[in-house]
Amino acid sequence: MLNLKEVKQGIAQLAAEKGLPEDKIWEAVEVSMARAYKKEYLPKASIARATINQETGDVKFVKVLQVVDDTMVYVPAENEEEEPAKRDENDKRVRFNSERHIFFNEAKIINSSISLGEEIIIPLENKDNFSRIAAQVAKQTIVQQIKELEKQVLIQEYE
């Protein structure tokens, strides 16, 4: 759980100093938390998201999987790791990755109303302690997101 009083105060101060919308700064913090979680606890190919409850300070993490079928992905043969098979150049399918994709029939078991191309959200265990490297990733992400927001605000002012 975040120290909500300090975080809210810091976000309000940053928004006032830089002229940025607070909701966009909250989004940047959520993105940075998700990247730190992914760096620390998930495989590299995974997609993670974080949501922060601005009333309580609770942070929830989820893993996102895209629902696919054989028309969207291909499963490589066992020996393809060493030498990829030649595929038709018109074949637009991507390689199946269990960290990013879930097959339609498996997704139907979890959610019967899901359809192809949608995302399925899997809740993750909440963790509070991150390594120094994961914290650095979060900090760099926030800095990068704030710079992008500043650019967007500047462009909107000139328009």
Side-chain angles (χ1 to χ4, degrees):
M1 183 176 338
L2 294 173
N3 183 339
L4 198 58
K5 186 177 180 181
E6 288 180 14
V7 173
K8 278 186 174 181
Q9 186 179 12
I11 288 175
Q13 183 178 358
L14 184 63
E17 285 177 8
K18 306 261 185 188
L20 303 172
E22 282 190 34
D23 61 324
K24 296 291 185 185
I25 297 173
W26 277 106
E27 287 176 22
V29 172
E30 288 176 345
V31 168
S32 70
M33 295 286 290
R35 286 195 181 155
Y37 189 97
K38 178 183 167 183
K39 179 77 174 171
E40 190 75 21
Y41 300 108
L42 296 175
K44 195 173 190 176
S46 300
I47 301 172
R49 290 190 187 139
T51 52
I52 300 171
N53 183 329
Q54 296 179 22
E55 312 297 308
T56 64
D58 289 335
V59 182
K60 296 207 184 315
F61 297 98
V62 296
K63 182 177 178 179
V64 180
L65 298 172
Q66 183 181 16
V67 179
V68 296
D69 68 359
D70 291 334
T71 64
M72 302 165 81
V73 296
Y74 72 94
V75 179
E78 287 182 30
N79 62 350
E80 194 175 321
E81 290 300 322
E82 302 98 32
E83 188 176 318
K86 300 282 188 236
R87 292 193 2 227
D88 182 9
E89 54 195 50
N90 295 329
D91 189 358
K92 301 292 185 214
R93 298 180 301 165
V94 296
R95 182 186 194 126
F96 177 79
N97 185 331
S98 62
E99 295 300 326
R100 288 181 170 255
H101 305 121
I102 185 169
F103 279 109
F104 181 66
N105 54 355
E106 296 172 27
K108 274 288 200 193
I109 296 169
I110 298 170
N111 180 352
S112 60
S113 64
I114 199 89
S115 59
L116 277 177
E118 288 186 351
E119 294 177 338
I120 197 156
I121 306 297
I122 299 171
L124 296 169
E125 181 182 343
N126 280 2
K127 308 265 186 175
D128 291 2
N129 44 347
F130 294 102
S131 69
R132 179 186 60 81
I133 294 171
Q136 225 172 356
V137 166
K139 178 186 171 194
Q140 289 170 347
T141 302
I142 289 176
V143 169
Q144 177 186 2
Q145 296 271 331
I146 297 301
K147 284 181 181 178
E148 282 297 317
L149 282 172
E150 287 176 316
K151 284 181 188 176
Q152 289 174 2
V153 166
L154 195 61
I155 289 169
Q156 287 175 353
E157 284 179 10
Y158 280 118
E159 287 178 349

